[in-house]
Amino acid sequence: MSSSNPLLSGMQPTGPLHIGNYLGALKNWTSLQDEFDCSFFIADLHAMTIEYDPKDMPVYVNELALTYLAAGLDPEKCNIFIQSHVPEHSELAWIFNTIVPIGELERMTQYKDKSEQHKQNINAGLFTYPALMAADILMHKPVGVPVGEDQTQHVELARSIAKKFNKTFGKTFPEPKVILTPTPRVMSLVDPEKKMSKSKGEKHYIGMFEDPKSIRKKIMSAVTDSASGSKKMPAGVENLFTLLEACGAEKSLIATFMEQYNEKSLQYKDLKEATADTVIAMLKPIQEKRKQLESDPGYVADALLKGTTAAQAVAKETMKEVKEKCGLL
Ligand code: AMP
Ligand code: TRP
């Protein structure tokens, strides 16, 4: 671990994760924790920007904590904490709200997409979401932020907020870089031109804790034909190759399928069977670990307590510096 090169990232507790979340971010976190001083948190305040049932929140927070640990995050190697338990994040977000131009927030594609999806609830929190995200990030002064491609624009805005704060109040924050995986954008199984996401419906994604039968069924019915009829590999087929590789299939197997594809002899059924086998095998140990963790709630609670205590100490220090620089202390 190198404490001079911290990394930070988080996810929203909005229900079970899918393999896009895993391959785009979480899997990478489990490797990065071996090399860097990492903090990974549960963005419960961000999850409030979409309509939700308060009864679900603790369930989803616990679900995400279990998922982090089942995937291999180790509380001995990294800090895992809950965003709302470190209230300085909201305090810093307010300060960033006073320096981020409205025009920059209006450019955010996630804001535009979510406003479109949730027309009845376009709240101010949805709009200023990136200022809170910048606060989450910069509070911990990381050098990098490992996320999927859809979060790149938000991390870039955090860099620009850091720059503006430093220019206005004096050098305080680093300008962290985005860290992407080789699969920063896993595509939907039935609409492979769009990213895999829960909001589109059950058939579009594979949940990390889905049972093998259901995983196989979804992959066997994945869309492989392209409507465009162009010479390019259809997006659905490309997505299956991507999953096969990212989930750890033998290189020789991938090469064989690719040769068959080029010779136009590839049976998509074979490609799908192999992809299903590979995805199921990748998820098996994670699913088993989760069962084990479910019977040990004390372990999860201890992990969160340790991570939260560490995050609170960092936040206190950063806020003292920020308040002094802003003339509040
Ligand atoms: P979210 O579920 O939006 O909180 O996303 C959690 C993390 O997963 C973020 O780092 C996202 O960028 C990443 N992510 C979400 N969907 C995908 C996808 N289809 N492919 C790759 N990464 C993704
Ligand atoms: N917006 C991120 C997502 O939807 C979650 C998030 C909130 C985050 N704050 C962050 C990610 C800080 C990285 C760093 O996935």
Side-chain angles (χ1 to χ4, degrees):
M1 273 211 306
S2 157
S3 53
S4 55
N5 286 320
L7 304 183
L8 171 130
S9 194
M11 292 192 191
Q12 299 184 68
T14 49
L17 296 193
H18 54 70
I19 58 170
N21 301 126
Y22 180 65
L23 299 171
L26 183 53
K27 183 172 178 231
N28 200 22
W29 299 359
T30 64
S31 323
L32 292 166
Q33 68 177 345
D34 291 328
E35 272 180 73
F36 299 94
D37 183 2
C38 291
S39 296
F40 300 114
F41 72 99
I42 295 174
D44 54 351
L45 298 174
H46 277 111
M48 293 175 74
T49 58
I50 299 296
E51 208 180 324
Y52 72 102
D53 183 339
K55 286 200 291 300
D56 288 338
M57 187 62 91
V59 177
Y60 289 166
V61 167
N62 187 53
E63 163 77 29
L64 193 51
L66 279 171
T67 306
Y68 282 1
L69 295 167
L73 289 188
D74 178 351
E76 296 295 322
K77 294 183 186 166
C78 66
N79 290 320
I80 304 171
F81 69 95
I82 301 173
Q83 183 185 35
S84 65
H85 294 194
V86 188
E88 286 86 351
H89 282 228
S90 313
E91 202 178 4
L92 185 56
W94 176 259
I95 295 177
F96 288 166
N97 271 330
T98 69
I99 63 174
V100 62
I102 284 183
E104 294 275 311
L105 295 173
E106 280 168 345
R107 285 196 311 109
M108 296 293 116
T109 52
Q110 185 175 299
Y111 169 66
K112 289 190 238 175
D113 290 348
K114 288 199 177 168
S115 307
E116 193 56 41
Q117 275 170 32
H118 306 274
K119 286 204 176 75
Q120 307 311 316
N121 184 21
I122 308 178
N123 60 79
L126 193 63
F127 186 59
T128 62
Y129 178 118
L132 177 58
M133 181 157 162
D136 299 332
I137 297 172
L138 298 176
M139 182 73 83
H140 298 267
K141 303 189 175 180
V143 292
V145 185
V147 283
E149 193 180 66
D150 59 352
Q151 295 301 315
T152 304
Q153 200 186 22
H154 288 155
V155 180
E156 273 160 12
L157 184 56
R159 287 164 63 91
S160 113
I161 289 176
K163 197 180 270 170
K164 188 153 180 207
F165 185 97
N166 292 343
K167 195 160 163 245
T168 313
F169 299 110
K171 175 97 183 100
T172 311
F173 296 114
E175 289 175 38
K177 292 195 169 61
V178 174
I179 301 175
L180 296 177
T181 69
T183 48
R185 194 173 155 85
V186 175
M187 307 311 274
S188 152
L189 293 174
V190 287
D191 190 0
E193 309 276 347
K194 306 239 167 69
K195 72 165 184 176
M196 182 177 282
S197 126
K198 278 199 305 255
S199 59
K200 296 191 185 72
E202 279 278 331
K203 285 192 208 148
H204 288 257
Y205 67 89
I206 294 170
M208 284 181 68
F209 300 102
E210 233 175 279
D211 81 89
K213 257 200 207 133
S214 158
I215 295 177
R216 190 172 299 278
K217 195 163 165 224
K218 282 187 185 175
I219 295 181
M220 294 313 291
S221 23
V223 168
T224 40
D225 284 325
S226 86
S228 66
S230 74
K231 281 202 189 112
K232 234 182 110 231
M233 182 184 274
V237 178
E238 197 180 336
N239 196 32
L240 291 175
F241 271 106
T242 302
L243 288 177
L244 202 56
E245 186 165 5
C247 298
E250 294 282 344
K251 282 202 168 53
S252 57
L253 179 70
I254 303 170
T256 307
F257 282 138
M258 197 52 93
E259 243 167 64
Q260 292 174 350
Y261 175 80
N262 289 329
E263 288 164 1
K264 300 194 172 30
S265 65
L266 175 62
Q267 298 289 322
Y268 288 153
K269 185 172 166 291
D270 296 342
L271 177 66
K272 288 176 174 178
E273 288 281 9
T275 306
D277 290 343
T278 313
V279 171
I280 291 166
M282 174 189 76
L283 293 176
K284 191 166 181 253
I286 301 175
Q287 296 185 342
E288 284 170 0
K289 177 91 185 281
R290 183 197 167 123
K291 284 208 187 96
Q292 196 190 318
L293 288 163
E294 272 171 355
S295 61
D296 192 359
Y299 178 80
V300 181
D302 285 351
L304 290 173
L305 181 64
K306 178 197 158 270
T308 303
T309 309
Q312 282 166 343
V314 172
K316 223 171 160 186
E317 207 175 297
T318 304
M319 281 318 288
K320 182 167 181 287
E321 183 186 359
V322 166
K323 285 182 170 176
E324 276 168 3
K325 294 228 165 98
C326 296
L328 299 172
L329 263 190

